[in-house]
Amino acid sequence: MCYSAEVMSMKLIASVAEPTLEQALALMTSVSEVADGVELRLDALGRHPVEDPTSVLAPLVGATAKPIILTYRPREEGGYAAASLSERLRLWSKVMAWVEQRGEVRARLFYDLEMDLVEAFLHASPLERSGVLPWERVILSHHRYDAAQWEDVLALYERLRAVPARFLKLALFAHDLGDSLLIFRLLERARQEGRELVGIAMGRAGLLTRILGVAYGSAFTYGAAATGRETAPGQIPVSELRALYRIAELGRQTVVAGVIGYPIGHSLSPLVHNTGFRLLGLDFVYVPLEVATLDRFMRDFVRPETRQMPWRLRGLSVTIPHKLAVLNFLDEVGPMVRRVGAANTIVVEGERLVGYNTDVVGGTEPLAERVALEGARVAIVGAGGAARALAYGVRERGARVLLFGRRLERVRELAEAIGAKAGALTELAAHSFDVLIHATPVGMSGYPEQELIPEEALRHRPLVYDLVYNPLETPLLRRAKQMGCPVLSGVEMFLRQAAEQFRLWTGLHPPLDALRERVYTALS
Ligand code: NAP
């Protein structure tokens, strides 16, 4: 069989599931530039192509010159169609009869057929069958939502591979990031057997398979045609897969870094690091990893002697809630980690895992550029990881530190550890200080609104520094500005701690100005 260049380079498919013909047409047309092909979800369309295939299919097929996968997904496999097996068979026989007569488009039209459907077709007597399936354009698929073990996955794969369809597709719901390993293992098996498999772990925990799947052997992968138009759990827009993660350029040789946290939310770290890798022409990728159970993740994905994930992992950013617990899994830590008692960065050095804390330098540097810290009185509100990092950083540069928080005993503990003074939050305004650093999540987008710092505490301050950076102008910074105080946003800390991680992983300094511009654009 001879395939066109377009079909051969079909790596990124935009899934289009719209209720009306007009909406589907608009999205297919607009997404065609960024995707290698389009999946048209007939099950989402209000109008079925059964009675009059021409009026439904002709305009849709004409909306793009790229390959199109036709799908009619039943409810039990995560689709919209409440259709019996015989109704599905009837729909497909109509659709195929229409497509197969159209020599001008047939070669770029694929059928996604579920395993039960194809098995029913194969078990029917030759008389009942309406013909043979064009196997070279069939994607034989199965979607599974309950927890699966390797033996189940293997059994499903065996059933799929017994069918001569060109592409096999298995989508499993990932209940934990560890479930993604089933897909990577299966991709390796299919590769060894020379079968073209599309392997996807659905759900947020399966995002890794959507980003790295093609590099590890998946024939192609799927993305949403636009933000907010996702057609499966955990799907992200094709534009992100293409431009941010550059999935078509990744291979097994690509060096991987990522961020671990729970929940991982909409972290800006992938934007910063991937932009840096792209601008410096590095074959690196940075992925978000939602890690619920740290020990399982460290064993199966990170520790060189036990990991099952066959990637070239260079390092990780570590965020809430793993910054303290991660210390138990490291072989070596830098001096700052020892003093602060938390790591936000892992570097994989051969067989060893080395921990660093880039929040200290990242948080302190921008402040030191604005005020002379030697002898300055610095008040810090908060007693968590960020407060700790800043307290150490400014102390090292000769500042006197006053710590304030809602739980006095916790604040006292930290103050004692670093040689600072502690006070209750209610006493903040009564103290004199030169710089105010806010290091709690109050003011962060999505966090319950609250006015933590009274107006009197902001009066005549030489600098107010809010570590919160989303939104760009926090309520605290707005109030401080209104009172005539100079302000410093947490964006600078975010950028500098990321730049230091980038340097630790690559040995290179990222183009900070370009990254700053990208982050400001994303936040504004
Ligand atoms: P953390 O370890 O969870 O500590 C949070 C601190 O905030 C704790 O001391 C907590 O008080 C206090 N807190 C939480 N809610 C509060 C409330 N409603 N009123 C008073 N105090 C409250 O978090 P973290 O890592 O230190 O991060 C804190 C914030 O800093 C983050 O939310 C983030 O916005 C910002 N941050 C920014 C960067 C950056 O790069 N710009 C980096 C790290 C963090 P208790 O001790 O009483 O629980």
Side-chain angles (χ1 to χ4, degrees):
M1 180 75 196
C2 187
Y3 298 108
S4 70
E6 266 165 357
V7 172
M8 292 303 286
S9 61
M10 188 169 91
K11 297 288 175 215
L12 185 53
I13 306 295
S15 192
V16 171
E18 295 297 309
T20 70
L21 207 56
E22 293 69 30
Q23 285 166 297
L25 277 170
L27 211 49
M28 283 176 79
T29 311
S30 67
V31 82
S32 273
E33 265 185 35
V34 63
D36 300 322
V38 176
E39 179 194 38
L40 177 59
R41 288 279 299 271
L42 297 172
D43 53 302
L45 272 182
R47 270 182 74 196
H48 282 179
V50 175
E51 304 314 331
D52 182 10
T54 302
S55 71
V56 178
L57 292 175
L60 290 166
V61 163
T64 173
K66 299 260 171 95
I68 298 175
I69 299 171
L70 299 171
T71 301
Y72 185 69
R73 189 79 70 230
R75 279 203 182 149
E76 51 283 16
E77 295 218 26
Y80 297 99
S84 66
L85 190 61
S86 56
E87 284 168 329
R88 286 159 61 206
L89 282 165
R90 182 163 165 259
L91 175 128
W92 279 117
S93 75
K94 283 272 187 178
V95 169
M96 286 184 195
W98 185 85
V99 171
E100 296 306 314
Q101 285 164 16
R102 277 156 184 82
E104 71 290 3
V105 291
R106 193 175 54 196
R108 63 179 177 89
L109 294 185
F110 292 77
Y111 306 113
D112 178 318
L113 305 177
E114 295 80 20
M115 189 164 63
D116 64 337
L117 194 79
V118 171
E119 286 176 346
F121 176 85
L122 291 175
H123 291 140
S125 69
L127 276 179
E128 288 171 304
R129 285 188 212 161
S130 49
V132 289
L133 290 173
W135 292 119
E136 75 284 359
R137 287 182 287 111
V138 170
I139 298 154
L140 178 69
S141 71
H142 186 69
H143 295 72
R144 185 174 164 150
Y145 287 85
D146 57 350
Q149 301 295 320
W150 173 242
E151 290 69 32
D152 311 324
V153 174
L154 207 53
L156 280 171
Y157 171 70
E158 294 297 334
R159 267 173 76 188
L160 289 173
R161 73 193 266 283
V163 176
R166 175 171 173 204
F167 296 107
L168 311 179
K169 176 186 173 194
L170 191 60
L172 304 173
F173 191 88
H175 298 266
D176 180 273
L177 179 61
D179 298 337
S180 303
L181 283 172
L182 299 171
I183 291 295
F184 287 107
R185 220 171 140 183
L186 198 61
L187 286 172
E188 178 55 23
R189 178 146 186 150
R191 191 182 68 82
Q192 283 170 7
E193 293 177 354
R195 291 303 298 259
E196 291 185 272
L197 177 73
V198 178
I200 293 168
M202 296 179 286
R204 292 171 65 90
L207 183 57
L208 190 62
T209 63
R210 296 188 184 274
I211 298 172
L212 289 186
V214 169
Y216 285 77
S218 187
F220 46 86
T221 195
Y222 295 79
T227 306
R229 310 308 296 160
E230 296 76 16
T231 64
Q235 212 176 56
I236 59 173
V238 280
S239 54
E240 256 181 55
L241 288 168
R242 171 78 77 209
L244 180 62
Y245 295 107
R246 296 175 296 134
I247 68 150
E249 294 162 40
L250 309 180
R252 294 173 80 90
Q253 80 292 340
T254 302
V255 181
V256 183
V259 52
I260 59 167
Y262 191 87
I264 205 69
H266 290 286
S267 167
L268 282 178
S269 299
L271 175 71
V272 168
H273 290 290
N274 286 319
T275 303
F277 296 151
R278 181 172 54 78
L279 292 176
L280 294 191
L282 300 174
D283 190 6
F284 273 61
V285 67
Y286 184 96
V287 293
L289 299 157
E290 188 158 290
V291 172
T293 40
L294 189 61
D295 52 351
R296 182 178 174 195
F297 173 75
M298 294 302 288
R299 184 194 66 205
D300 294 346
F301 286 84
V302 185
R303 285 224 62 92
E305 69 279 15
T306 57
R307 71 180 173 219
Q308 295 176 34
M309 180 67 198
W311 56 3
R312 288 186 68 196
L313 183 69
R314 176 60 176 147
L316 294 165
S317 308
V318 184
T319 186
I320 293 171
H322 302 310
K323 285 186 183 182
L324 296 181
V326 79
L327 296 183
N328 299 324
F329 302 92
L330 304 177
D331 300 302
E332 195 182 317
V333 293
M336 210 48 87
V337 171
R338 227 170 287 128
R339 269 185 261 156
V340 179
N344 76 332
T345 310
I346 300 175
V347 181
V348 183
E349 296 285 8
E351 295 290 298
R352 299 176 67 72
L353 304 182
V354 187
Y356 295 87
N357 193 319
T358 68
D359 280 341
V360 179
V361 60
T364 313
E365 246 180 30
L367 180 58
E369 286 165 12
R370 293 285 296 271
V371 290
L373 286 171
E374 180 70 50
R377 291 161 305 170
V378 177
I380 301 179
V381 176
R388 222 173 164 73
L390 264 294
Y392 274 103
V394 299
R395 275 275 291 143
E396 273 218 332
R397 291 178 184 248
R400 284 176 286 159
V401 179
L402 303 152
L403 286 171
F404 297 90
R406 61 178 175 185
R407 281 196 288 151
L408 201 51
E409 71 288 3
R410 193 173 177 197
V411 179
R412 281 204 178 115
E413 216 174 278
L414 177 56
E416 213 165 282
I418 58 160
K421 289 195 173 144
L425 202 47
T426 45
E427 300 165 1
L428 182 64
H431 283 77
S432 44
F433 48 85
D434 306 308
V435 175
L436 175 69
I437 302 178
H438 169 247
T440 86
V442 173
M444 202 167 78
S445 119
Y447 200 78
E449 272 183 43
Q450 191 186 345
E451 210 172 271
L452 200 61
I453 297 173
E455 215 160 277
E456 312 84 72
L458 297 175
R459 222 176 283 286
H460 310 304
R461 300 298 175 197
L463 188 73
V464 174
Y465 182 13
D466 196 346
L467 301 193
V468 175
Y469 62 88
N470 189 6
L472 267 178
E473 187 179 71
T474 62
L476 173 65
L477 292 187
R478 194 175 323 121
R479 282 166 60 226
K481 269 194 212 164
Q482 280 163 0
M483 299 187 63
C485 299
V487 297
L488 177 59
S489 154
V491 169
E492 237 6 77
M493 170 175 177
F494 173 68
L495 279 166
R496 304 286 184 97
Q497 61 77 31
E500 182 57 10
Q501 294 182 324
F502 192 99
R503 191 191 65 76
L504 287 166
W505 297 325
T506 65
L508 299 168
H509 291 282
L512 205 54
D513 288 342
L515 301 188
R516 186 176 290 114
E517 199 184 311
R518 291 300 305 269
V519 169
Y520 274 89
T521 308
L523 286 172
S524 49

